[in-house]
Amino acid sequence: MASFEIKLKDGTVEIIEGADAYQPDGQFTTFFALDGRSVVDCWSVRVASIRSAEIVAVWRREPAAA
């Protein structure tokens, strides 16, 4: 699974582990684990949500190759 680095307006960086994708969800940006699927659907698991207005940048980080 990948992880995401999120830079917030106050300069802090949050790391979301175990998420494969994210999408807008009302006033929030929600991060999901997809369990092998390629799209966010009703079987996806919500990992975290962050208020979208606070997000400056999002970076996807792939796990290191073994």
Side-chain angles (χ1 to χ4, degrees):
M1 277 191 188
S3 63
F4 290 89
E5 257 182 66
I6 300 96
K7 183 175 182 183
L8 302 176
K9 285 192 326 187
D10 66 2
T12 60
V13 175
E14 295 285 334
I15 304 219
I16 308 295
E17 298 283 346
D20 298 303
Y22 67 94
Q23 70 180 21
D25 186 15
Q27 294 181 1
F28 295 91
T29 297
T30 302
F31 295 81
F32 295 92
L34 302 181
D35 294 329
R37 289 179 307 285
S38 59
V39 297
V40 175
D41 60 14
C42 65
W43 298 105
S44 301
V45 177
R46 286 184 169 95
V47 175
S49 292
I50 298 176
R51 187 171 297 279
S52 298
E54 298 298 315
I55 297 174
V56 174
V58 177
W59 296 277
R60 182 182 173 100
R61 304 291 187 214
E62 295 295 330

